[in-house]
């Protein structure tokens, strides 16, 4: 079987959204996806994109994707690659697609002068934690993620709840 | 006392680096900062900046800063604001500078159509965790951060260790 990794194009937006939806279902949050193809087109393929994306194909059939953007380390004075989503369709696993995506991401990170790659893992996902650790990754248990959204974000900004009619949610 | 919050300009690069250094000393990592003014100038004030920065002044004197960039939620189909560094000089605390920086960041996030703000906190920093929780923030204890850097990153990319002569480090 042949694995091909390529950068996503505008034509892949439907496939990317299908992968995002499949990932949400895999994480047992089937109704969590509010994104539309128009959102992904605007935010990933416009003039100042918020993200970039790789598509993995197995014998020419889409099998998985990696969606990422760049963050920044003020201590090192260098950008980093932040991996937001990595997903391989359950029926296409075991062929090395996930590893191939990670290898290409590492190459992209080095090409861009990044000091590191970062991503998140669920604390009960022992096989993934072991896999990443064996790869030489560091699991940072002492740093907790803080998230502020919805009405709490609007209150902090001094905007009355309800004054904005945006979609709200918690991912 | 008057608090002023303003976007950083190229002329602030020396001050930003001084804040980054002061933050590293505060976190007891005085030798961790490898960044130079040239790095910050190139990465924050060039054509495609990796970060943006706010400077807080107390009666016209620099008192703190917030350095951030934009991430992306594939579930919501909207960008998010990621706060990398927030720091107020110890001798300037208690006047509301940190809160004012967070309020301005929340306003920036809403202006940019962000679904949320995210940042990290150390698990032993109970006063900060309580402060963020009271603000309505969610502390995500089940998600661990994974970081891959240095030789492990080069190995994954298929580059022999030592083949690149870049600076390496772990922040």
């Amino acid at each position: 079987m042949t694995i091909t990794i390529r950068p996503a194009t505008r034509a892949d937006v439907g496939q990317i959204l299908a992968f995002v939806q499949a990932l949400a279902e895999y994480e047992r949050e089937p109704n969590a996806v509010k994104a539309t193809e128009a959102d992904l087109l605007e935010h990933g393929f416009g003039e100042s994109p918020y993200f970039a994306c790789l598509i993995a194909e197995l014998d020419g059939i889409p099998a998985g994707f990696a969606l990422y953007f760049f963050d920044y380390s003020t201590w090192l004075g260098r950008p980093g690659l932040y991996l937001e989503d990595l997903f391989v369709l359950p029926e296409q696993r075991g062929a090395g697609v996930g590893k191939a995506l990670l290898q290409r991401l590492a190459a992209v990170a080095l090409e861009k002068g990044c000091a590191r790659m970062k991503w998140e893992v669920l604390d009960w996902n022992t096989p993934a934690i072991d896999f990443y650790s064996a790869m030489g990754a560091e699991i940072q248990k002492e740093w907790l993620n803080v998230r502020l959204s919805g009405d709490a974000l609007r209150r902090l900004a001094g905007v009355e709840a309800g004054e904005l009619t945006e979609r709200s949610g918690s991912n």
Side-chain angles (χ1 to χ4, degrees), chain A:
Chain A
M1 294 206 283
T2 305
I3 299 172
T4 313
I5 310 286
R6 61 173 178 79
T9 69
R10 299 174 70 88
D12 293 309
V13 157
Q15 180 62 63
I16 296 168
L17 188 57
F19 281 137
V20 168
Q21 182 64 45
L23 174 56
E25 282 163 20
Y26 185 76
E27 293 184 353
R28 300 179 187 178
E29 295 265 15
N31 302 313
V33 179
K34 311 297 177 202
T36 64
E37 291 191 23
D39 290 333
L40 297 178
L41 205 55
E42 177 190 347
H43 297 138
F45 302 91
E47 214 164 290
S48 303
Y50 284 105
F51 65 83
C53 187
L54 296 174
I55 302 284
E57 291 171 345
L58 202 53
D59 291 338
I61 309 292
F65 82 125
L67 192 141
Y68 63 97
F69 38 79
F70 296 97
D71 60 10
Y72 195 72
S73 165
T74 48
W75 286 9
L76 297 178
R78 284 167 61 190
L81 186 153
Y82 192 92
L83 175 57
E84 177 70 14
D85 283 344
L86 176 73
F87 184 68
V88 179
L89 293 171
E91 63 272 25
Q92 307 276 38
R93 292 184 191 171
V97 173
K99 182 73 184 286
L101 280 166
L102 281 169
Q103 287 172 324
R104 176 63 69 90
L105 288 165
V108 169
L110 292 182
E111 279 164 29
K112 292 278 184 179
C114 293
R116 51 169 159 76
M117 279 173 60
K118 278 178 77 177
W119 62 94
E120 289 179 16
V121 66
L122 282 161
D123 60 1
W124 49 257
N125 194 348
T126 312
I129 291 173
D130 291 347
F131 178 66
Y132 300 147
S133 298
M135 200 184 277
E138 186 190 347
I139 312 291
Q140 303 196 287
K141 299 195 177 178
E142 73 281 20
W143 285 100
L144 304 177
N145 292 306
V146 184
R147 177 184 292 205
L148 188 74
S149 58
D151 287 344
L153 178 60
R154 285 187 281 272
R155 267 198 307 276
L156 182 62
V159 178
E160 290 299 312
E163 193 174 312
L164 296 177
T165 56
E166 300 172 283
R167 284 172 295 170
S168 70
S170 65
N171 189 55

